[in-house]
């Protein structure tokens, strides 16, 4: 039987195999703080809770290296150091821990300000616990899926180094033009997706480009000559007849 949340009057359901992560809840209202803590712990998270901004910053700064918080659930209306200031200080210190703001402030201005100072999502009180848990999971998923691929994209014998705008084949640098590089980056970030010529033009050349779509075919041919073992029988850049091209 589902347990009932006394503050939001929403049922809280546990879930087998819930994503495991350390979460920090920052909320000055003890009833709300403990309700959020209880809901998240029932979902399998490890939760630390505190009631003000200074304690929150100290808890984040003191976390052991490699064992920090996966997410901060942060109220804006805090005594002393407010939630917006906590966001600012974390981002100023280049701390990219995902932040989910929970606040009774529901105007568009408040939401925009919260996001502009560094919050990743904004949830208005009162809210259901299922929505809170879903937002937390979504932020954690987003972080876990983007972080590993943020530096290097790999496929078979190809590596694309995003920070360096560099591509290697079998460990040897491949000299690509800017358009060739951008095409390959798009393909490697969306493996198996089929792209039409028009979509490739829009993504790589821009919506204002009015040239012939055959320029895509030309750049694909050049990429194959540089990347494929046998350009006449490509293994990476595949033609999907009647639709366009896909990678992998």
């Amino acid at each position: 039987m589902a347990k009932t949340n006394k503050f939001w009057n929403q049922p809280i359901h546990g879930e087998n195999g819930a994503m495991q992560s350390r979460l920090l809840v920052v909320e000055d209202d003890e009833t709300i703080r403990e309700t959020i803590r209880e809901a998240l712990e029932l979902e399998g998270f490890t939760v630390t809770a505190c009631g003000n901004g200074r304690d929150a910053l100290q808890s984040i700064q003191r976390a052991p290296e490699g064992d920090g918080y996966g997410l901060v659930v942060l109220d804006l209306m805090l005594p002393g150091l407010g939630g917006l200031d906590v966001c600012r200080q974390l981002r100023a210190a280049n701390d990219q821990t995902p932040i989910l703001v929970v606040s009774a402030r529901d105007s568009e201005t408040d939401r925009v300000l919260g996001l502009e100072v560094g919050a990743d999502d904004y949830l208005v009180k009162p809210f259901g616990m299922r929505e809170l848990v879903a937002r937390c999971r979504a932020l954690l998923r987003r972080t876990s899926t983007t972080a590993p691929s943020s530096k290097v994209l790999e496929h078979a014998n190809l590596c694309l180094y995003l920070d360096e705008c560099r591509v290697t084949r079998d460990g040897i640098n491949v000299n690509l033009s800017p358009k060739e590089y951008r095409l390959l980056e798009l393909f490697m970030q969306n493996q198996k997706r089929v792209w039409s010529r028009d979509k490739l033009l829009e993504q790589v050349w821009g919506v204002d480009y009015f040239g012939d779509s055959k320029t895509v075919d030309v750049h694909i041919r050049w990429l194959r000559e540089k990347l494929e073992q046998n350009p006449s029988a490509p293994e990476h850049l595949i033609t999907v007849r009647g639709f366009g091209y896909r990678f992998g």
Side-chain angles (χ1 to χ4, degrees), residues 127-188:
F127 48 80
M129 286 295 101
R130 285 176 294 182
E131 181 178 6
L132 173 71
V133 170
R135 298 278 191 108
C136 289
R137 285 208 186 102
L139 282 175
L140 289 165
R141 266 198 313 273
R142 192 186 310 167
T143 305
S144 64
T145 53
T146 58
S149 61
S150 63
K151 299 297 182 183
V152 183
L153 301 175
E154 298 183 63
H155 178 81
N157 63 337
L158 302 178
C159 289
L160 188 149
Y161 298 86
L162 291 166
D163 286 349
E164 305 172 44
C165 294
R166 179 170 66 92
V167 174
T168 64
R169 174 188 170 192
D170 294 320
I172 300 172
N173 286 333
V174 180
N175 186 25
L176 301 182
S177 71
K179 287 291 190 291
E180 290 169 350
Y181 175 88
R182 181 69 187 98
L183 267 175
L184 182 60
E185 179 185 16
L186 185 66
F187 278 125
M188 292 185 74

Side-chain angles (χ1 to χ4, degrees), residues 83-216:
L84 291 177
D85 290 322
V86 172
C87 283
R88 289 191 187 98
Q89 290 195 30
L90 287 175
R91 297 313 185 225
N94 201 31
D95 188 317
Q96 299 304 313
T97 304
I99 298 172
L100 170 59
V101 162
V102 292
S103 176
R105 297 178 178 177
D106 61 355
S107 73
E108 182 181 7
T109 300
D110 290 321
R111 293 170 187 255
V112 170
L113 181 58
L115 296 172
E116 283 184 343
V117 300
D120 297 275
D121 199 359
Y122 195 107
L123 185 58
V124 176
K125 298 177 183 178
F127 48 80
M129 286 295 101
R130 285 176 294 182
E131 181 178 6
L132 173 71
V133 170
R135 298 278 191 108
C136 289
R137 285 208 186 102
L139 282 175
L140 289 165
R141 266 198 313 273
R142 192 186 310 167
T143 305
S144 64
T145 53
T146 58
S149 61
S150 63
K151 299 297 182 183
V152 183
L153 301 175
E154 298 183 63
H155 178 81
N157 63 337
L158 302 178
C159 289
L160 188 149
Y161 298 86
L162 291 166
D163 286 349
E164 305 172 44
C165 294
R166 179 170 66 92
V167 174
T168 64
R169 174 188 170 192
D170 294 320
I172 300 172
N173 286 333
V174 180
N175 186 25
L176 301 182
S177 71
K179 287 291 190 291
E180 290 169 350
Y181 175 88
R182 181 69 187 98
L183 267 175
L184 182 60
E185 179 185 16
L186 185 66
F187 278 125
M188 292 185 74
Q189 288 176 330
N190 300 273
Q191 295 185 31
K192 302 297 184 183
R193 173 174 173 174
V194 177
W195 293 88
S196 68
R197 291 176 179 83
D198 287 342
K199 280 294 182 184
L200 290 171
L201 282 173
E202 180 182 315
Q203 292 289 322
V204 177
W205 279 264
V207 293
D208 296 329
Y209 178 79
F210 293 106
D212 194 327
S213 64
K214 290 190 180 298
T215 191
V216 172

